[in-house]
Amino acid sequence: MDENGLIIFEIGGNDILDAIQKGLKEKNFEGAKNIIDLAISGINISLEKVMSKGACVLYTTVSDIRLLPLIQGGELNEYGEVTEFSSFINKNEKEMEFINCICDYFYNKIMNTIDLLKNKYKDKIEVFDLYKNFGSLVDEYSKLYRKTFNREVNTLNNYGVDKLIYDNKNKIYTNHNTTIKKIENVNLDDFFYIDNVHPTRYVHQFMGIKIFNKICELWLNGKDQIKEELNIIRN
């Protein structure tokens, strides 16, 4: 990191999911709102710190979690069965309305925060709006993947699940991903999501190119932009 540029990836997906689960469980918007308000406060503090040092920031909004397998009704457990929570959410209009409210609340709060920072730090912060454009980016990636590999990409289901370890009744999250048993012989790259929330490697490559080119457009007068194509990753 230097004073000439900085990319910040907004890791807010888990905050929104936590807010949704808390809100649905308590049937109350306030608990969910509190989780989001705390997340926004932390993001604002982080942005203030780096921008006060002179860095330029391209802020990437969180992706639209309504396109996650969980919300679409396609989240699989390790045995290849749709999870009860995913099935429940997808079939209940009232719960979907609540999820829409949570997602919009998060987005509007963070955009208001960014607008205030734009007024304070002129020409130093811009937005890569992953949230508003996520659906079209998923479609664009799917077409590019088909063109590159002549295969379809699965955007509905997850390839694997993250295991949870319990220590004295406390959850300990690990990065260990377990392949879903029914798809053990399926190509991982043919999935958009490697687990419940994280995209697979070619999706990361695709989004990385998009973000890099946006930086070039904003601060380098369009110089050094690279072709938006998938480059084969050698194992």
Side-chain angles (χ1 to χ4, degrees):
M1 181 178 73
D2 58 33
E3 294 184 355
N4 295 318
L6 172 70
I7 303 174
I8 290 187
F9 289 91
E10 197 278 270
I11 312 300
N14 286 330
D15 293 310
I16 297 177
L17 288 174
D18 287 345
I20 287 171
Q21 290 177 333
K22 185 176 180 65
L24 290 177
K25 181 179 180 180
E26 298 178 353
K27 302 187 183 303
N28 185 309
F29 186 75
E30 286 305 309
K33 179 173 170 286
N34 290 338
I35 291 175
I36 290 175
D37 289 344
L38 285 172
I40 297 294
S41 176
I43 291 167
N44 183 60
I45 291 170
S46 298
L47 289 172
E48 282 274 12
K49 284 184 178 179
V50 295
M51 295 182 71
S52 66
K53 302 297 182 181
C56 292
V57 174
L58 178 62
Y59 183 85
T60 304
T61 58
V62 69
S63 59
D64 189 344
I65 69 156
R66 289 169 291 195
L67 295 180
L68 289 178
L70 171 68
I71 311 300
Q72 292 189 86
E75 182 187 64
L76 304 178
N77 61 23
E78 64 179 304
Y79 303 106
E81 300 163 346
V82 175
T83 62
E84 288 185 16
F85 192 47
S86 181
S87 180
F88 168 75
I89 288 177
N90 186 257
K91 294 177 181 178
N92 285 268
E93 186 175 338
K94 184 179 291 187
E95 277 67 28
M96 287 302 300
E97 289 177 0
F98 178 81
I99 290 170
N100 288 332
C101 289
I102 290 294
C103 291
D104 289 341
Y105 180 77
F106 187 99
Y107 179 78
N108 291 331
K109 287 279 289 188
I110 194 62
M111 293 304 289
N112 288 337
T113 298
I114 299 299
D115 285 342
L116 292 173
L117 291 171
K118 279 186 174 183
N119 290 330
K120 185 174 181 179
Y121 301 97
K122 301 295 183 182
D123 302 318
K124 290 291 186 180
I125 183 167
E126 296 291 343
V127 172
F128 183 85
D129 202 338
L130 192 57
Y131 179 76
K132 287 292 187 182
N133 298 306
F134 195 59
S136 61
L137 286 168
V138 170
D139 290 340
E140 184 180 346
Y141 172 79
S142 298
K143 292 175 183 176
L144 187 57
Y145 188 85
R146 186 185 307 120
K147 177 183 176 182
T148 306
F149 298 103
N150 196 29
R151 298 197 304 267
E152 299 296 322
V153 62
N154 183 332
T155 61
L156 176 63
N157 308 121
N158 44 303
Y159 176 81
V161 294
D162 278 334
K163 281 289 191 178
L164 288 177
I165 297 176
Y166 288 84
D167 180 20
N168 294 326
K169 297 184 179 180
N170 294 317
K171 292 181 181 178
I172 300 176
Y173 290 88
T174 70
N175 291 324
H176 178 68
N177 188 268
T178 301
T179 304
I180 292 168
K181 288 181 170 55
K182 290 184 179 179
I183 56 177
E184 286 176 336
N185 297 319
V186 178
N187 192 323
L188 167 60
D189 293 326
D190 288 347
F191 283 75
F192 193 91
Y193 295 100
I194 191 172
D195 56 24
N196 309 67
V197 296
H198 299 100
T200 47
R201 58 182 183 172
Y202 282 107
V203 182
H204 276 98
Q205 183 190 105
F206 171 74
M207 294 298 181
I209 292 171
K210 286 282 189 183
I211 292 169
F212 178 82
N213 284 343
K214 187 65 176 180
I215 292 172
C216 294
E217 173 192 324
L218 290 168
W219 290 297
L220 299 176
N221 296 316
K223 295 180 181 179
D224 298 327
Q225 287 185 321
I226 57 180
K227 188 174 181 180
E228 294 184 354
E229 61 184 5
L230 296 181
N231 299 303
I232 305 301
I233 300 172
R234 304 298 178 187
N235 293 328

